[in-house]
Amino acid sequence: MDQRPRKGPLSFLSGALTSGLLAWLSLGLSQKVVGYYAEHPPHYSAQIAQSIATALKTLIVGMCFLATFSFAFIGVGLALTFLRSLLQPRHSQGAS
């Protein structure tokens, strides 16, 4: 039975840094989206059009912040896993 090698600390560190970078970029995008909608509020004469525009704005802003917090939590989790992998003693590969 062929077992795949375990991931090492470098893998966790690179994942944490990548996720942190994506969280930072998502935060910038979220701030720009909120700024845009603050400067350009939807205003339509028809009530249904106003409701649809407001719902779409809420959905877009929510998705931007969801991406931000998802990447941030994944980055924090991988950073903690990286620290844990540094503090764990190495087991021999022959032992089960």
Side-chain angles (χ1 to χ4, degrees), residues 36-54 57:
Y36 175 81
Y37 280 124
E39 292 175 5
H40 305 91
H43 46 67
Y44 296 99
S45 57
Q47 183 65 31
I48 188 73
Q50 183 71 29
S51 295
I52 291 171
T54 303
K57 176 185 87 162

Side-chain angles (χ1 to χ4, degrees), residues 16 72-82:
F73 285 134
I74 290 168
V76 168
L78 284 172
L80 291 174
T81 305
F82 166 71

Side-chain angles (χ1 to χ4, degrees), residues 12-25:
F12 300 132
L13 179 63
S14 67
L17 292 175
T18 302
S19 187
L21 176 66
L22 289 172
W24 182 68
L25 292 173

Side-chain angles (χ1 to χ4, degrees), residues 4 18-21 27 33 37-38 41 45 49 55-56 68 77-79 82-83 85 88-89 92 96:
R4 293 190 304 194
T18 302
S19 187
L21 176 66
L27 180 62
V33 167
Y37 280 124
S45 57
L56 189 62
T68 300
L78 284 172
F82 166 71
L83 292 175
S85 71
Q88 256 183 357
S92 64
S96 296

